C-alpha cells in the first residue's frame, strides 16, 4: 500500500523535472558555501541530522546543507522521526503504508523493523488519514531520494511520527531505538523547524537582552523593542541550538521549559538526545546553516526559523 505524496503540488512542486532542478540548485549552493568554509564533504561518522520540514522553497535551501554532510555509501536504512501536527498522542506512531511516494520516485518502508518495533507494545499505529495529512516526514522524502539516488535499490526508510511523550517515555523510546542508531548501516533524520514567531503562532517571546525575556503585546511592544525582533529570535534559536550541540537531554529540556520556544520537533530531538546519551564514543554536533522565513520587525510580523545540524559519533577503537 502506497502513501501518496499528499503535499506535492502545494507545499512543493509535483513536477519531477522541476523538483529535481530545484533541489539541485539548493544542493549546489550549499556545497559551494560549505566547501568555501573549509569543510571536507561528506563528513565522516555522521549518524544523524536535524533539518526542517516547511515548504521546500522556504526551508529547502537550509535542508540541503544537512543532506550533503553525511556519507551514503554504506547506508541501508534511514529512520525519519517527525513531530505530529495533526493528531494529539503521547506515543510514537508507526506507519500503515509499506511504500512512500515522492514525485521523484518511491521509497520502500523497512517493514521488518516496523514489525520488531510494534512487538515491543510501546509504539502505536498511525491513523491512515493522519499519516497522509502529516507533512513532517513527507517534506524530507525528496531530499532522501536525491541523497541516495545512486543506490536506491539498497535503501529502505523507517518513518516514525513522534507525539508528545513525557521525558521518561522519551528515554524509554531511546533505549529501543539506540541499537539501530549504533548500526553503521543506519542514518537518523530528525524533522524539525525552529521558532514559530508571531501572534498567529501565539508566541511573541522577545529577548530585550540575554537575561530578560518577555512576551510582546500591544501594550508593551513600543516601549520594549530595543533591537530588531528577528535578532531576538535568532538569539533564542541559537540558545536552543547550543543546547542541542551540548548533546545533553536535560539541558535541551531545561531550555524548552524556560523559553517554551516553539520548536515543533522538540520531541523527536529529545528522543535523539536521549539515544546519544546511551552511546559511547566521541560524540559532537554542529549547526551548518540557520535561516528565517522572513525578518520580523513589528508585532504584526511572523516567521519560522530553520536549522541544519549534524551529529557525529566516532566509534571507540
Amino acid at each position: 500500500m502506497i502513501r501518496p505524496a499528499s503535499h506535492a503540488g502545494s507545499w512543493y512542486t509535483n513536477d519531477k523535472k522541476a523538483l529535481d532542478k530545484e533541489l539541485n540548485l539548493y544542493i549546489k549552493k550549499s556545497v559551494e558555501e560549505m566547501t568555501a568554509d573549509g569543510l571536507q564533504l561528506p563528513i565522516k561518522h555522521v549518524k544523524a541530522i536535524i533539518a526542517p520540514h516547511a515548504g521546500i522553497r522556504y526551508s529547502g535551501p537550509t535542508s540541503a546543507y544537512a543532506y550533503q554532510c553525511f556519507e551514503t555509501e554504506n547506508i541501508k536504512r534511514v529512520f525519519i522521526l517527525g513531530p505530529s501536527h495533526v493528531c494529539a498522542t503521547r506515543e510514537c506512531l508507526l506507519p500503515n503504508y509499506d511504500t512512500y511516494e515522492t514525485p521523484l520516485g518511491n521509497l520502500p518502508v523497512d517493514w521488518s523493523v516496523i514489525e520488531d518495533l510494534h512487538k515491543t507494545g510501546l509504539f502505536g499505529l498511525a491513523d491512515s488519514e493522519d499519516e497522509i495529512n502529516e507533512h513532517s516526514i513527507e517534506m524530507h522524502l525528496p531530499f532522501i531520494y536525491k541523497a541516495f539516488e545512486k543506490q536506491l535499490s539498497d535503501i529502505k526508510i523507517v518513518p516514525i511520527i513522534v507525539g508528545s511523550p513525557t521525558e521518561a517515555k522519551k528515554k524509554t523510546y531511546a533505549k529501543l531505538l539506540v541499537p539501530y542508531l549504533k548500526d553503521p548501516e543506519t542514518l537518523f533524520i530528525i524533522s524539525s523547524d525552529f521558532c514559530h514567531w508571531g501572534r498567529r503562532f501565539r508566541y511573541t517571546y522577545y529577548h530585550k537582552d540575554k537575561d530578560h525575556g518577555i512576551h510582546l503585546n500591544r501594550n508593551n511592544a513600543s516601549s520594549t523593542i530595543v533591537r530588531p525582533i528577528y535578532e531576538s529570535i535568532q538569539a533564542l534559536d541559537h540558545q536552543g541550538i547550543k543546547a542541542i550541540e551540548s548533546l545533553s537531554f536535560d539541558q535541551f529540556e531545561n531550555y524548552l521549559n524556560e523559553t517554551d520556544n516553539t520548536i515543533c520537533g522538540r520531541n523527536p530531538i529529545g528522543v535523539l538526545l536521549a539515544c546519544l546519551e546511551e552511546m559511547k564514543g566521541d560524540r559532537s554536533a554542529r549547526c551548518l546553516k540557520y535561516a528565517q522565513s522572513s525578518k520580523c520587525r513589528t508585532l504584526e510580523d511572523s516567521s519560522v526559523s530553520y536549522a541544519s545540524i549534524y551529529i557525529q559519533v566516532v566509534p571507540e577503537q
Side-chain angles (χ1 to χ4, degrees):
M1 189 161 60
I2 298 175
R3 179 206 178 273
S6 54
H7 292 75
S10 54
W11 287 52
Y12 59 105
T13 180
N14 56 7
D15 182 278
K16 179 178 180 178
K17 290 184 178 179
L19 179 58
D20 189 65
K21 181 179 180 180
E22 182 179 5
L23 296 181
N24 283 336
L25 178 66
Y26 300 151
I27 289 166
K28 182 176 183 291
K29 185 176 180 180
S30 68
V31 169
E32 287 175 350
E33 183 171 320
M34 286 189 287
T35 53
D37 288 342
L39 277 177
Q40 297 293 320
L41 300 174
I43 301 166
K44 292 185 177 297
H45 306 301
V46 171
K47 287 298 301 173
I49 62 170
I50 301 170
H53 55 238
I56 285 181
R57 72 185 181 97
Y58 294 105
S59 66
T62 300
S63 292
Y65 287 77
Y67 276 94
Q68 299 312 300
C69 75
F70 55 83
E71 297 175 300
T72 61
E73 185 177 353
N74 297 316
I75 301 299
K76 307 293 184 187
R77 180 188 300 117
V78 180
F79 276 71
I80 315 153
L81 275 60
S84 173
H85 295 85
V86 298
C87 67
T89 178
R90 291 286 187 179
E91 297 181 301
C92 288
L93 305 178
L94 301 173
N96 287 282
Y97 297 91
D98 53 25
T99 303
Y100 272 52
E101 178 189 41
T102 87
L104 301 177
N106 296 347
L107 293 167
V109 171
D110 192 330
W111 207 249
S112 64
V113 172
I114 299 300
E115 290 177 342
D116 287 343
L117 293 176
H118 189 248
K119 287 175 184 176
T120 67
L122 294 174
F123 290 81
L125 285 177
D127 176 84
S128 296
E129 186 173 348
D130 287 342
E131 192 175 347
I132 289 174
N133 291 332
E134 180 55 59
H135 66 272
S136 68
I137 290 172
E138 178 181 342
M139 301 310 296
H140 284 268
L141 301 181
F143 276 105
I144 293 172
Y145 192 97
K146 285 290 293 180
F148 294 98
E149 61 185 345
K150 294 181 180 179
Q151 58 196 83
L152 287 169
S153 60
D154 298 329
I155 293 297
K156 292 184 178 181
I157 62 172
V158 181
I160 299 175
I161 296 174
V162 180
S164 301
T166 63
E167 291 186 16
K169 196 70 174 290
K170 290 176 196 176
K171 293 182 178 181
T172 299
Y173 281 121
K175 289 182 184 296
L176 296 173
L177 295 176
V178 73
Y180 299 101
L181 186 59
K182 290 179 178 178
D183 183 347
E185 294 184 340
T186 299
L187 175 75
F188 270 57
I189 293 171
I190 307 301
S191 176
S192 182
D193 297 333
F194 274 70
C195 185
H196 299 60
W197 198 94
R199 287 192 293 173
R200 71 188 182 100
F201 297 118
R202 299 181 181 180
Y203 188 78
T204 56
Y205 191 84
Y206 178 78
H207 263 135
K208 190 170 185 177
D209 56 55
K210 66 178 182 179
D211 297 318
H212 299 90
I214 66 169
H215 287 275
L216 296 178
N217 57 49
R218 287 191 179 95
N219 295 325
N220 65 23
S222 60
S223 61
T224 301
I225 297 173
V226 294
R227 61 170 174 168
I229 294 171
Y230 66 85
E231 288 186 6
S232 168
I233 296 170
Q234 179 172 315
L236 176 69
D237 279 330
H238 279 287
Q239 186 182 350
I241 290 168
K242 185 176 180 180
I244 293 169
E245 290 176 335
S246 77
L247 301 181
S248 167
F249 176 89
D250 288 341
Q251 186 168 327
F252 184 63
E253 293 291 330
N254 290 339
Y255 162 79
L256 294 173
N257 291 333
E258 176 187 340
T259 67
D260 199 29
N261 191 0
T262 46
I263 300 173
C264 54
R266 58 173 64 191
N267 293 312
I269 292 171
V271 171
L272 175 66
L273 292 174
C275 282
L276 291 165
E277 290 191 345
E278 296 283 331
M279 297 179 70
K280 296 180 180 179
D282 185 12
R283 296 161 300 146
S284 62
R286 177 182 173 184
C287 181
L288 292 166
K289 183 68 173 179
Y290 173 81
Q292 296 172 359
S293 62
S294 60
K295 289 188 174 183
C296 292
R297 301 177 187 275
T298 75
L299 192 57
E300 306 307 313
D301 297 333
S302 64
S303 71
V304 179
S305 306
Y306 315 120
S308 270
I309 300 169
Y310 71 81
I311 294 90
Q312 283 176 298
V313 181
V314 180
E316 290 185 319
Q317 298 299 320

